[in-house]
Amino acid sequence: MAFVSPQTTVNPMDLLPALEAKYPTFASDTEADAHNARILAVRGLHTTATGMTLFKLADRVLHEDLDDVVVLEHVPDNEITNDPSAVSTSNDEDDNVEQNNSENKSDEDAGESSEKPVITFKPFYFFFYGSLQVRNVLNRVCVIRKRGLFGVPQLVDEEPEESTYIENAHITGWTMKMWGPYPALIPDDNGAVSGVAWLCEKPEYVGRLESYESSAYRMAFCDISVPSADGSGVEIIRNARTFVSTLNADELEDGEFDLSAYRKTTMAKAW
């Protein structure tokens, strides 16, 4: 099947949420709220918090384990369209973040509320292009478990369900470089990268993946092209995420990630 590249005018650098939370300078600082909500949104988290409460929450997800963030409910439904031209030019995730009325909050606490904010997690697809394409590596990094003998949780070594793991996936607007043995993505208007799409169904998986990727990578929004269910065309998974490089250009080299060779390495087998 021929790969049909979606048309988009989105600058990939515009899809990079901030690496630091923004301190609200007054009670109704909508710019800071939007900034901090975006930090949560790229991780699938949405909240009713605003002001200082939102700032503290954004700071926590950047610097602490997501296992410690209490998520009250999961929101289903992933946006998938079979129209290759229907690529999101803005991140709808940001528009879904509900905000409490902050008119009565004092300037002194920059909008911190005494009410406990509601935090929800909406499952989303990741695009992987390196070692996380190996399914047992992904399972063990995320510590994906199932009930085993006598109900005892055990790590999943077999392949995940087909509906949550899609091969022959592509993204555009990025190109691959190498950081030693590790692949890394940098912006490229004419670039396209092949890999797999995987449905992330729990917020704790996000934190574990970020730890695995290290500070050399950061999360970014992307749109993933995948084969349609009937094999007749291409479907687009909108508002997906991937990991892209934070390194300087002089730290990267030309090259491609050899998945077949990686599967044979001690590193892959150790997982």
Side-chain angles (χ1 to χ4, degrees):
M1 178 185 68
F3 168 62
V4 180
S5 177
Q7 300 298 312
T8 177
T9 58
V10 177
N11 181 349
M13 297 306 292
D14 294 336
L15 305 183
L16 297 178
L19 295 176
E20 293 295 335
K22 184 172 184 177
Y23 193 92
T25 57
F26 50 90
S28 300
D29 192 339
T30 56
E31 182 179 343
D33 281 356
H35 176 102
N36 294 328
R38 187 173 172 81
I39 291 172
L40 269 64
V42 76
R43 294 163 175 83
L45 298 174
H46 307 276
T47 181
T48 56
T50 58
M52 184 61 71
T53 304
L54 177 56
F55 164 76
K56 290 180 178 179
L57 185 57
D59 190 64
R60 280 187 63 195
V61 302
L62 285 169
H63 301 293
E64 298 179 24
D65 195 329
L66 276 179
D67 285 358
D68 296 330
V69 176
V70 178
V71 178
L72 300 184
E73 63 179 285
H74 288 203
V75 180
D77 186 30
N78 295 280
E79 299 175 74
I80 301 180
T81 174
N82 57 13
D83 180 3
S85 65
V87 178
S88 174
T89 57
S90 65
N91 292 308
D92 300 332
E93 301 288 351
D94 299 333
D95 300 331
N96 295 331
V97 179
E98 300 178 12
Q99 297 185 347
N100 285 337
N101 189 328
S102 58
E103 293 179 358
N104 297 322
K105 296 182 176 68
S106 68
D107 289 343
E108 180 178 355
D109 63 12
E112 185 166 16
S113 173
S114 60
E115 296 182 5
K116 184 166 183 156
V118 174
I119 307 170
T120 60
F121 174 77
K122 182 177 180 180
F124 60 87
Y125 275 89
F126 266 111
F127 175 78
F128 297 134
Y129 52 91
S131 60
L132 291 170
Q133 294 178 88
V134 180
R135 299 183 187 187
N136 67 303
V137 173
L138 174 60
N139 288 338
R140 289 180 176 269
V141 167
C142 291
V143 195
I144 299 174
R145 300 179 183 274
K146 70 173 185 178
R147 293 290 175 182
L149 188 63
F150 305 117
V152 177
Q154 62 184 34
L155 283 171
V156 177
D157 284 324
E158 68 270 15
E159 299 178 352
E161 295 181 9
E162 185 176 352
S163 61
T164 66
Y165 185 94
I166 307 172
E167 297 181 326
N168 300 315
H170 301 77
I171 62 172
T172 59
W174 300 91
T175 194
M176 184 181 295
K177 295 288 186 177
M178 296 299 294
W179 179 45
Y182 307 110
L185 299 188
I186 61 172
D188 181 353
D189 290 340
N190 300 313
V193 180
S194 300
V196 302
W198 175 72
L199 180 61
C200 179
E201 299 180 287
K202 294 184 179 181
E204 55 265 34
Y205 296 164
V206 180
R208 293 164 190 169
L209 287 166
E210 286 191 284
S211 294
Y212 175 74
E213 293 290 354
S214 81
S215 60
Y217 299 84
R218 63 188 296 185
M219 290 180 64
F221 287 99
C222 66
D223 295 292
I224 310 175
S225 300
V226 298
S228 60
D230 61 8
S232 63
V234 174
E235 294 183 352
I236 307 299
I237 302 177
R238 302 175 60 200
N239 290 317
R241 280 58 153 196
T242 191
F243 286 97
V244 302
S245 178
T246 62
L247 302 174
N248 296 324
D250 59 5
E251 298 178 81
L252 303 174
E253 300 177 345
D254 292 338
E256 295 286 335
F257 181 74
D258 189 332
L259 182 59
S260 297
Y262 176 78
R263 291 181 187 276
K264 301 175 183 177
T265 64
T266 303
M267 184 183 302
K269 293 177 180 177
W271 285 98

